[in-house]
Amino acid sequence: MLMKSDFSYIDENLKRIQYNINEALAKYRKSEDKVRLMAVTKTVPYEAVNYSISKGINLLGENRVQEYQSKRDFYDNSAEVHIIGHLQTNKVKYIINSVSMIQSVDSIRLAKEIDRLAGENNKTMDILCEVNIGKEESKSGVLPENAFEFVESLGEFKNIRVCGLMAIPPAEDSEKFLSEMYDLYLDISDKKSDNINMDILSVGMTGDYVNAIKYGSTLVRIGSGLFGARVYK
Ligand SMILES: *Cc1c(COP(=O)(O)O)cnc(C)c1O
């Protein structure tokens, strides 16, 4: 019988994911390259999240502010938290002091509010620019052709540090979009703008993380592959 507290499936999933990451790194990347593994927690009970932290996960990805608020007091606080879902401007105040990065910045309006609240709280907030690489109507993010200009304007905010790019490529034809995303990342990196770091390329989820590593990913965001299929409430 599977007890509620039996999280051994997470051990197996984590081992397999780490094996695959290392194999992809060895196959496709330079020996000094590293990929960080994020556990994406949407719909996952905090007990399972804490179990994954006890097994070495040190980075959590949160999609929904309200769900995060209901769980964060129960999380083992040894893991860092990044916001990865679409963030409404009026919700920045709820997360500004409990996350170390906002990966889903895609408007100046949102950046302004992050900058303002970061300033009020005497901090610099790390952010990524989200790119809608597949130009899908259902997804957020700036269009790839506008990404450089957008990133440059983010560089002007005093309390924001731009650290790279994030994307959710379409599931269909994902390799083509991963490759386009990598080109865009290299392109913007080459331009070396003031106040812009391009250290992080956050691409790759359960279905495409091996290919994402092939195309330069430095951070993969895994949900269902680690915690099992999501049951939507
Ligand atoms: C849900 C989600 C993920 C993880 O998706 P899986 O396919 O379950 O690994 C990664 N990134 C974002 C932005 C997500 O919303």
Side-chain angles (χ1 to χ4, degrees):
M1 193 173 86
L2 185 71
M3 305 288 286
K4 189 168 178 266
S5 58
D6 182 2
F7 293 125
S8 54
Y9 63 93
I10 295 176
D11 289 290
E12 284 158 37
N13 290 340
L14 186 56
K15 273 190 200 137
R16 190 186 62 247
I17 292 162
Q18 274 162 342
Y19 179 89
N20 291 340
I21 289 174
N22 288 333
E23 195 179 53
L25 272 170
K27 196 162 163 191
Y28 300 118
R29 301 277 290 272
K30 294 203 266 312
S31 59
E32 67 270 23
D33 284 3
K34 287 200 168 58
V35 168
R36 192 163 184 203
L37 170 60
M38 162 188 281
V40 175
T41 67
K42 59 182 179 255
T43 77
V44 178
Y46 72 86
E47 294 94 336
V49 174
N50 285 342
Y51 183 83
S52 75
I53 295 172
S54 77
K55 294 295 168 177
I57 289 290
N58 61 13
L59 177 60
L60 307 178
E62 295 290 327
N63 283 79
R64 302 172 182 126
V65 169
Q66 214 176 348
E67 181 184 339
Y68 173 47
Q69 285 179 295
S70 75
K71 293 195 308 198
R72 68 178 160 198
D73 291 344
F74 303 99
Y75 282 165
D76 176 338
N77 62 16
S78 66
E80 257 182 272
V81 176
H82 291 179
I83 296 289
I84 59 170
H86 181 68
L87 180 60
Q88 285 173 273
T89 303
N90 62 3
K91 299 216 167 124
V92 177
K93 57 179 176 285
Y94 301 124
I95 52 92
I96 192 80
N97 280 315
S98 52
V99 306
S100 61
M101 185 179 285
I102 300 170
Q103 295 202 357
S104 42
V105 176
D106 65 353
S107 76
I108 294 297
R109 199 169 105 89
L110 174 60
K112 258 190 189 145
E113 178 68 352
I114 297 170
D115 182 66
R116 183 182 76 80
L117 286 167
E120 262 180 25
N121 289 281
N122 296 312
K123 57 159 58 181
T124 304
M125 181 55 81
D126 287 345
I127 63 146
L128 301 182
C129 161
E130 181 172 356
V131 178
N132 187 350
I133 191 68
K135 304 187 181 187
E136 294 170 286
E137 251 172 63
S138 61
K139 285 188 186 149
S140 344
V142 299
L143 293 173
E145 58 267 36
N146 301 333
F148 176 63
E149 199 184 339
F150 179 68
V151 163
E152 274 215 311
S153 44
L154 293 180
E156 285 162 25
F157 290 102
K158 244 179 43 225
N159 309 305
I160 283 179
R161 182 170 20 213
V162 181
C163 301
L165 305 179
M166 180 269 218
I168 310 169
E172 192 119 319
D173 233 349
S174 92
E175 191 158 354
K176 165 178 170 269
F177 290 108
L178 287 167
S179 158
E180 286 181 14
M181 193 61 209
Y182 189 34
D183 288 343
L184 181 67
Y185 174 72
L186 292 175
D187 214 44
I188 297 179
S189 306
D190 280 348
K191 292 184 171 144
K192 299 195 194 316
S193 304
D194 289 345
N195 297 322
I196 307 293
N197 300 303
M198 281 288 135
D199 297 329
I200 299 178
L201 176 58
S202 171
V203 282
M205 321 201 309
T206 297
D208 64 356
Y209 67 96
V210 168
N211 270 335
I213 293 169
K214 180 171 169 188
Y215 294 101
S217 172
T218 70
L219 191 161
V220 294
R221 311 179 307 262
I222 311 277
S224 49
L226 182 62
F227 295 117
R230 282 183 288 278
V231 184
Y232 278 99
K233 292 167 217 159

